[in-house]
Amino acid sequence: MIESLQGRIREEISARSSDQRLLSEYDLSSRSVQQELWSVGHYARELGNLDICGFWHVAATAHTQTSDSYPAEPQTPTLDVGGYVHHVHLCVDGFFMNAMSVLDILAHEIWPLYLLPHKPTRLYIGSVTKKLVEFHPKSALGKFLTSQLAQAWFQRFQQFRHCTTHESSIVYDTIHLNYDPLTGQMDGSDIVLPDNPKARPFTYRRKEEATTYCTNVSGKIQSLVEKAHERIIT
């Protein structure tokens, strides 16, 4: 859907302007949006598919000669909790970094289309939204982005993204390992996000599970980008 909308926007650019630099810049930004959206979905899926049961390992032992009467004793597997936690961090950090990158690249896609003046060196979705409202107050896109960035889901997501830049919002103590009482074996884990990643110490009254949260935000990012493109061509 987004690729189709971007194709229509590209056709309008070609019809209205002979400036190949504008077209080239749009092509770069639009392809980057597609790539980052793919990455957002990838990390959300990877987090959902991450299975702690895959982190059981048997320690390597030196080979020793044994007789038929005294076979080698089987090694007891150990759970590599540290390795699991590292993979959780990889997925969560990758998700938040790429999810915000989608929106900031969308800002680069928007800027030349609306002929906004004095493009800054650093351009973000918030700054392009303010410029849209300033120079095109009747713009449907400017109104839409303003309403989206003011919503509670975006404000909370933005906090996690900023936290990811400097530190992790996932700490070992909040990863709950689940044991099956009947078998005594590990059967999964729960990864809980803090209520406010900027507040110290972390609190967990929401009991918000990371996989569910990332899946929901992934859908909201996808929807925001799609609806933004719809408003560009209307």
Side-chain angles (χ1 to χ4, degrees):
M1 180 64 175
I2 291 174
E3 290 184 31
S4 175
L5 291 169
Q6 288 177 329
R8 291 171 60 185
I9 294 170
R10 191 182 193 282
E11 290 175 359
E12 289 195 16
I13 295 174
S14 298
R16 295 180 181 181
S17 175
S18 60
D19 188 345
Q20 290 300 309
R21 291 176 300 176
L22 177 61
L23 194 60
S24 177
E25 185 172 351
Y26 179 79
D27 286 342
L28 177 60
S29 297
S30 62
R31 285 194 298 267
S32 297
V33 166
Q34 295 172 23
Q35 173 60 51
E36 294 302 299
L37 277 175
W38 180 92
S39 297
V40 170
H42 170 76
Y43 281 112
R45 289 189 299 271
E46 285 292 299
L47 183 62
N49 294 332
L50 196 59
D51 185 0
I52 195 170
C53 295
F55 289 81
W56 286 102
H57 298 292
V58 176
T61 58
H63 176 73
T64 57
Q65 186 175 359
T66 61
S67 66
D68 294 337
S69 302
Y70 300 97
E73 294 184 1
Q75 297 295 312
T76 302
T78 58
L79 183 63
D80 181 12
V81 177
Y84 174 72
V85 172
H86 288 321
H87 279 77
V88 169
H89 281 293
L90 174 66
C91 294
V92 172
D93 290 349
F95 174 82
F96 286 125
M97 294 293 288
N98 284 276
M100 185 59 83
S101 292
V102 171
L103 302 183
D104 289 338
I105 296 172
L106 176 63
H108 285 267
E109 189 177 7
I110 292 169
W111 190 276
L113 298 179
Y114 286 80
L115 302 176
L116 297 173
H118 312 301
K119 182 177 180 180
T121 304
R122 297 182 178 180
L123 185 61
Y124 306 103
I125 190 64
S127 57
V128 79
T129 299
K130 291 179 180 179
K131 287 296 182 182
L132 268 175
V133 172
E134 179 182 352
F135 288 95
H136 301 279
K138 296 182 179 180
S139 162
L141 178 61
K143 294 177 181 178
F144 169 72
L145 291 177
T146 299
S147 67
Q148 288 294 302
L149 301 191
Q151 290 189 15
W153 77 264
F154 179 80
Q155 296 297 320
R156 180 161 162 74
F157 156 69
Q158 192 173 40
Q159 289 180 336
F160 281 115
R161 168 60 177 82
H162 291 331
C163 180
T164 297
T165 305
H166 306 288
E167 57 199 351
S168 178
S169 57
I170 302 293
V171 294
Y172 174 80
D173 291 342
T174 64
I175 299 179
H176 305 296
L177 309 181
N178 302 325
Y179 291 91
D180 186 333
L182 297 178
T183 65
Q185 297 297 314
M186 188 77 63
D187 66 356
S189 64
D190 297 320
I191 307 164
V192 184
L193 293 172
D195 299 324
N196 181 353
K198 299 179 71 174
R200 299 292 185 276
F202 287 157
T203 58
Y204 300 93
R205 287 183 291 272
R206 289 173 178 257
K207 297 181 179 179
E208 194 158 43
E209 204 278 324
T211 301
T212 301
Y213 176 81
C214 290
T215 299
N216 290 339
V217 170
S218 177
K220 291 182 182 295
I221 295 291
Q222 179 80 24
S223 177
L224 188 158
V225 173
E226 184 175 310
K227 291 178 179 178
H229 283 86
E230 290 174 351
R231 283 158 177 76
I232 290 174
I233 61 177
T234 55

